[in-house]
Amino acid sequence: MLGLPSTTEVGRRIPKEAFYGRLKVSAALRQSFIDDVERFTVANSIKTSTTGIPDGERVHEVLVVEVALKARRVPEEVLALVARENPHKLLFACTFNDEVRLAVMLKRLVVGPWRPFDRLTLDMNASDIDAVWDSLASQVVYNDAGGGPETIEERFEADAKIKALYEELARVETRGRKERQVARKNALFDKAKELKRQIAKIEEGR
């Protein structure tokens, strides 16, 4: 699957009841397991013993989980629950007919676009299992192989912080343009300047 080494193949089916049967879930979420998911299958186990790649400090195993869907819709709450309840790093491959959408859980679930299943391959060249996870997740989230100084979690968190700061900056600058009272206008100008400083600090440190 996804061009991964044959030595990583598992092919172990997991009953849906293994998730919603033993966990406290809402009636709606339980129904989503039943209505939206055909089956879960652990397709690949990426670790030192199956790849020869050195173990990581943060990550010791990445599981590729095929989620066969009943319709062309990804049940994101279902995947988020499964990811939160699993100690391993999970790469979801949500399949429907001849298409697939990849998903990973960082601060939140990130789902990639639909792609032709038979033409999608992932790059797994990395120095250790930490880097394998960073690379695989980067390919889902950013459509690149990562490889920078940041982990995928650090990169994702920094991007979220920058996005929030830019949104706040836009609000402050809008208020500043409308403000007529000089002291308040100056205070908003100072706040905008500080927000720009924070943004620059994050971007310079990357």
Side-chain angles (χ1 to χ4, degrees):
M1 175 176 280
L2 306 176
L4 299 175
S6 60
T7 54
T8 67
E9 293 176 2
V10 177
R12 184 176 73 250
R13 185 168 174 174
I14 304 175
K16 293 183 288 184
E17 296 80 358
F19 298 110
Y20 67 75
R22 64 181 178 84
L23 301 174
K24 286 187 176 180
V25 300
S26 66
L29 187 53
R30 181 180 184 277
Q31 200 61 43
S32 182
F33 271 97
I34 296 169
D35 294 343
D36 298 328
V37 179
E38 184 68 42
R39 65 182 179 277
F40 291 98
T41 305
V42 178
N44 303 81
S45 171
I46 302 169
K47 55 185 177 181
T48 299
S49 63
T50 62
T51 63
I53 297 172
D55 195 16
E57 293 183 4
R58 299 177 290 112
V59 183
H60 307 293
E61 183 176 16
V62 180
L63 296 178
V64 178
V65 179
E66 181 185 2
V67 185
L69 303 175
K70 292 184 177 181
R72 199 174 182 270
R73 188 186 76 81
V74 174
E76 296 189 15
E77 290 188 8
V78 166
L79 302 190
L81 175 68
V82 172
R84 285 194 297 266
E85 294 297 325
N86 196 294
H88 303 97
K89 297 296 186 182
L90 303 183
L91 170 64
F92 294 105
C94 303
T95 59
F96 182 72
N97 292 338
D98 57 352
E99 293 182 292
V100 60
R101 290 185 78 180
L102 303 181
V104 291
M105 186 72 169
L106 298 175
K107 285 288 186 180
R108 60 177 177 81
L109 188 76
V110 182
V111 184
W114 285 105
R115 301 181 187 183
F117 184 81
D118 59 356
R119 293 207 297 270
L120 177 59
T121 59
L122 295 177
D123 179 9
M124 207 185 67
N125 295 327
S127 57
D128 57 26
I129 301 299
D130 286 345
V132 168
W133 166 246
D134 290 340
S135 176
L136 292 176
S138 292
Q139 289 171 73
V140 177
V141 179
Y142 297 106
N143 199 31
D144 64 40
E150 300 170 303
T151 68
I152 182 59
E153 289 83 3
E154 290 169 343
R155 183 181 180 186
F156 189 74
E157 187 172 352
D159 284 347
K161 180 65 175 175
I162 289 173
K163 181 174 182 290
L165 287 170
Y166 270 117
E167 289 173 350
E168 186 178 359
L169 176 62
R171 290 192 295 268
V172 169
E173 289 181 333
T174 297
R175 288 172 57 197
R177 287 192 294 270
K178 294 178 179 178
E179 183 59 60
R180 294 291 177 260
Q181 211 278 336
V182 175
R184 290 176 183 167
K185 193 176 188 70
N186 288 339
L188 289 167
F189 176 81
D190 290 340
K191 187 171 183 179
K193 187 176 179 180
E194 172 59 20
L195 289 169
K196 291 177 182 178
R197 185 195 68 78
Q198 292 180 35
I199 293 169
K201 183 178 179 181
I202 295 173
E203 291 181 334
E204 288 169 5
R206 308 188 76 180

